[in-house]
Amino acid sequence: MLKKTLIAQAMAVAMTATAFAGGILHRGNGGEPTTLDPHFVSGTWENNILGEMFMGLTTETASGKLIPGLAESWTISEDGKTYTFKMRDAKWSDGTPITAYDFEYSLKRILNPENAARYAFILYPIKNAKAYNSGDATADDLWVIAADAKTLVIKLEDVTPYFLEQLTHYTSWAVPSHVVKAHGKEWTKKENLVVSGAFTLDTWNPQTSLTVKKNPAFFDAANVKLDGVAFYPIEDSNSALKRFRAGELDVTNTVPGGMYDKLKAEFGDQFIVAPWLGTYYYPVNSKIITDVNVRKAMSLAINRDVIANKIAGNGEIPAYSFVPPGVNNYVPWQDAPKIDGYGKSYAENLAEAKKLMEAAGYNKSNPLKLVLKYNTSDGHKKIAIAIAAMWKQIGIEIELFNQEVKVHYKQLNDGDFEVARAGWIGDYNDPTTFTDLMLDNDYNYANHLIPEQIELAERAAKTIDLNKRAAILAQVEQLGLDAYAVIPIYYYVNKNLVSDRVIGWEDNVMGPHRARWLNKK
């Protein structure tokens, strides 16, 4: 049976490669999508796929610059709180016009508390969005109004400097209201799926490949060069490397750690490392590990220089904060919050960690036993093994447990873990895309809430002066760091192997590299 399954998968890949020879970008994607509904995803690997099929009111260039999307223009009121969007003449892939009504329907859909969309909180800058999503207001109270088919009006709670960037995120993308109403949860099936982006679904062989083909109804189809994209959910970085080396992949962001020099020597300019707005971290379940000094000891005992430079080893930077350096609208890096241990030697930090654990009653003869969960990846495994060895020195005995990425993150969302691996890539270029994770939402995996943080975040949202706002948000971050429910490990870099067959690839600090802007030789 296993042999037949492997043969079938191999045939599916071969058929995909044959059908798309020449004008198809073959992309290693690191994971299987949970769904094709943009309102119910949260992973970068899902964004890579759905971003080819859907678009927001605004979108990005190849380098991440903000440009009009399905809205051709907009105006902002003098008080900075009301945005009026003029829709462009665009169509869904079935030929139906895309209207302001689709966006009103979609924003009300994702914020509807009955739908339990975990990422809905990102839209809370919209007036009454939080109240509606919490069940304290109705859909009619949400300040998203389609004045007519071509005009969408959105009013915000307070001035939000990143709002237009936020609208590039998949939480704000419109879904085809006429299709969702007709088919309900079945609307994402291939025979029903209707999209707004440059590509539409062609095939999906779970755990093998998902392919999209050029959408002739896309408003800018004339400038889309590729015929399609084939995505492969390859979680193992060594497998991705082998397939790239063999010419089976044009692009992969699943790259082995600790091989920077070797990869540069072998692939030269095809190995691209660039800044990326993200943090690799370990959330600690504060409902289980309740002693803040134990959590602090866990942080102090991690040798971030070794993890970033030797194990990850592709240009990653040791992290001593949750908000990465270089984010817009924040305090200068030298003034930014840091975890305890920053600027000290590892020997000093390790000695302090041992004292804290001994005070809590733990040592090598009486260890604290924990399970460390991570999603299947050779890189995550190596880091987990290294950190387990570091923690053993202070009296923590670790059992490692791995699983596929979508199962792993579901358990984090459900609080079904003790300590785990996680990563966060900024959804927009502002500190709140990180500090919000320390507040009351489904991505506060550590399940740790500090009332003062919530009060400060609310004050920051009402602060127009960006410098004063930054200082308040720094307090939000520092309170979270001092609780050690989130342990930052390193700041990401955007690592990609990009074949010299690919044309149009540009560095992008936000990460997405949409196929709309690419071509192949």
Side-chain angles (χ1 to χ4, degrees):
M1 187 62 162
L2 177 60
K3 184 176 180 181
K4 289 182 179 180
T5 300
L6 292 173
I7 291 173
Q9 290 179 347
M11 288 178 65
V13 173
M15 289 173 65
T16 298
T18 301
F20 294 128
I24 299 301
L25 185 77
H26 294 269
R27 182 167 186 169
N29 196 42
E32 184 79 8
T34 305
T35 176
L36 298 183
D37 189 326
H39 292 171
F40 298 98
V41 298
S42 62
T44 54
W45 63 97
E46 294 164 323
N47 182 17
N48 289 339
I49 294 171
L50 292 173
E52 304 297 358
M53 295 193 287
F54 294 91
M55 182 177 287
L57 293 164
T58 60
T59 189
E60 324 93 339
T61 65
S63 63
K65 180 182 177 182
L66 184 81
I67 57 172
L70 293 177
E72 66 177 14
S73 63
W74 52 83
T75 57
I76 306 173
S77 62
E78 286 188 12
D79 67 0
K81 295 183 182 181
T82 303
Y83 289 67
T84 302
F85 296 90
K86 180 181 179 183
M87 302 296 298
R88 71 168 70 247
D89 292 326
K91 296 180 179 180
W92 293 103
S93 54
D94 65 356
T96 303
I98 301 173
T99 70
Y101 298 113
D102 287 313
F103 277 92
E104 179 180 349
Y105 169 84
S106 298
L107 290 169
K108 289 179 176 178
R109 175 182 186 255
I110 188 173
L111 286 162
N112 187 334
E114 294 181 2
N115 289 328
R118 292 184 180 275
Y119 227 154
F121 73 90
I122 201 175
L123 298 168
Y124 283 1
I126 299 173
K127 190 171 181 62
N128 294 328
K130 183 176 182 179
Y132 173 42
N133 190 233
S134 302
D136 297 326
T138 69
D140 290 339
D141 296 318
L142 183 68
W143 243 103
V144 178
I145 298 174
D148 54 50
K150 289 293 186 181
T151 310
L152 182 73
V153 182
I154 300 178
K155 183 176 287 189
L156 307 184
E157 293 279 2
D158 299 289
V159 175
T160 306
Y162 54 86
F163 184 63
L164 289 172
E165 282 191 2
Q166 195 173 38
L167 293 178
T168 67
H169 192 260
Y170 42 84
T171 47
S172 69
W173 295 347
V175 296
S177 57
H178 62 294
V179 178
V180 179
K181 290 174 182 177
H183 298 287
K185 293 182 179 180
E186 304 295 305
W187 82 272
T188 56
K189 285 192 171 182
K190 183 178 184 297
E191 61 269 25
N192 300 329
L193 188 63
V194 171
V195 301
S196 59
F199 299 89
T200 188
L201 181 65
D202 189 57
T203 65
W204 188 2
N205 301 302
Q207 303 301 327
T208 302
S209 66
L210 183 150
T211 62
V212 296
K213 60 184 178 181
K214 186 175 178 178
N215 175 15
F218 179 56
F219 70 84
D220 196 34
N223 292 312
V224 176
K225 306 301 182 185
L226 290 170
D227 296 319
V229 185
F231 294 93
Y232 303 94
I234 308 169
E235 295 190 30
D236 181 71
S237 58
N238 290 312
S239 296
L241 175 60
K242 288 177 182 177
R243 293 184 65 173
F244 181 83
R245 187 179 282 132
E248 297 174 13
L249 298 178
D250 297 308
V251 176
T252 178
N253 62 358
T254 308
V255 179
M259 291 182 62
Y260 181 88
D261 292 339
K262 291 181 179 179
L263 293 173
K264 267 298 180 186
E266 180 177 359
F267 297 109
D269 291 342
Q270 293 182 99
F271 180 42
I272 301 174
V273 178
W276 200 12
L277 202 67
T279 302
Y280 188 108
Y281 68 103
Y282 276 12
V284 182
N285 193 329
S286 64
K287 299 298 182 183
I288 297 173
I289 306 170
T290 58
D291 189 335
V292 65
N293 285 325
V294 170
R295 300 195 299 263
K296 181 177 179 179
M298 294 169 72
S299 175
L300 286 167
I302 296 174
N303 191 328
R304 291 166 174 79
D305 290 329
V306 169
I307 299 295
N309 299 320
K310 302 296 184 183
I311 299 177
N314 283 323
E316 290 83 356
I317 302 167
Y320 294 90
S321 67
F322 192 53
V323 179
V327 69
N328 289 344
N329 309 321
Y330 205 40
V331 294
W333 171 244
Q334 63 269 23
D335 301 326
K338 310 286 192 308
I339 55 174
D340 195 23
Y342 174 71
K344 297 179 182 178
S345 70
Y346 180 62
E348 290 176 288
N349 288 336
L350 187 62
E352 177 65 17
K354 288 178 179 178
K355 289 179 182 178
L356 290 170
M357 290 298 290
E358 288 172 358
Y362 300 107
N363 51 45
K364 289 184 179 180
S365 60
N366 181 39
L368 171 64
K369 297 182 179 181
L370 298 173
V371 175
L372 168 55
K373 293 185 175 182
Y374 63 94
N375 53 295
T376 304
S377 159
D378 185 59
H380 300 329
K381 180 179 180 180
K382 288 179 179 178
I383 291 171
I385 290 172
I387 290 179
M390 294 169 188
W391 283 343
K392 187 174 183 179
Q393 301 174 90
I394 64 170
I396 299 177
E397 188 176 299
I398 291 293
E399 176 188 345
L400 299 180
F401 185 84
N402 74 290
Q403 54 209 332
E404 68 172 318
V405 64
K406 63 182 180 181
V407 176
H408 175 73
Y409 274 102
K410 183 181 185 305
Q411 291 192 355
L412 263 65
N413 284 132
D414 294 341
D416 182 15
F417 73 99
E418 292 174 338
V419 59
R421 175 266 158 189
W424 193 262
I425 305 301
D427 296 316
Y428 46 89
N429 200 336
D430 187 85
T432 56
T433 190
F434 293 92
T435 56
D436 279 358
L437 301 188
M438 296 175 170
L439 306 178
D440 187 12
N441 61 70
D442 287 331
Y443 294 91
N444 183 345
Y445 302 132
N447 202 16
H448 189 81
L449 292 174
I450 303 173
E452 188 180 352
Q453 276 185 301
I454 298 171
E455 293 169 6
L456 286 166
E458 290 175 350
R459 192 198 311 169
K462 299 180 183 302
T463 303
I464 297 175
D465 185 301
L466 290 180
N467 290 328
K468 292 180 180 178
R469 174 180 180 269
I472 297 170
L473 290 173
Q475 293 180 62
V476 173
E477 183 186 7
Q478 189 66 68
L479 284 168
L481 293 177
D482 291 345
Y484 294 95
V486 168
I487 299 177
I489 297 173
Y490 66 72
Y491 306 120
Y492 280 105
V493 289
N494 203 338
K495 308 182 296 289
N496 289 274
L497 285 166
V498 182
S499 169
D500 53 16
R501 298 185 297 271
V502 177
I503 302 169
W505 187 276
E506 295 187 34
D507 291 347
N508 181 346
V509 71
M510 297 306 297
H513 295 274
R514 304 300 187 202
R516 172 189 178 189
W517 309 112
L518 302 177
N519 198 1
K520 284 179 66 174
K521 295 178 183 177

